[in-house]
Amino acid sequence: MPLNDWIPLFLFGGAVILAMALLARYQSGRYQDYLARHTAETEKVTTNQNRQIEQQEAHNALLRDQNALLDRIATALERKT
């Protein structure tokens, strides 16, 4: 087979390889954008969850203090009667 018969095959193969490389680059860029957005969103959610946990812990501490105070009042009332 002469070389002239192989030229269209080589050109087609080169075009396919180039198209695959461009597609891979495009998909990689899109995935990096997705990761950046996802990371930022995850950080926001984590920050909000940590703030809620801190608020819940503060609320629980207040409830413990209130319960201790109510126990002291109940004990004082029992001693009075």
Side-chain angles (χ1 to χ4, degrees):
M1 237 179 156
L3 184 60
N4 288 341
D5 292 342
W6 290 95
I7 290 176
L9 184 59
F10 287 135
L11 290 176
F12 178 74
V16 168
I17 290 171
L18 180 63
M20 295 297 282
L22 291 174
L23 180 62
R25 186 177 178 108
Y26 172 76
Q27 287 179 333
S28 175
R30 296 265 308 192
Y31 185 65
Q32 291 299 323
D33 291 342
Y34 164 78
L35 285 179
R37 283 192 319 271
H38 181 71
T39 301
E41 187 174 326
T42 300
E43 287 176 2
K44 287 180 190 176
V45 169
T46 302
T47 301
N48 287 337
Q49 287 176 340
N50 288 337
R51 186 169 36 99
Q52 288 177 348
I53 289 169
E54 290 171 1
Q55 290 174 348
Q56 186 66 42
E57 289 173 350
H59 179 72
N60 288 343
L62 288 174
L63 287 177
R64 282 191 295 274
D65 293 344
Q66 182 182 14
N67 286 339
L69 179 62
L70 290 174
D71 284 341
R72 284 185 290 205
I73 290 171
T75 302
L77 288 175
E78 286 176 0
R79 287 183 186 161
K80 187 175 181 181
T81 56

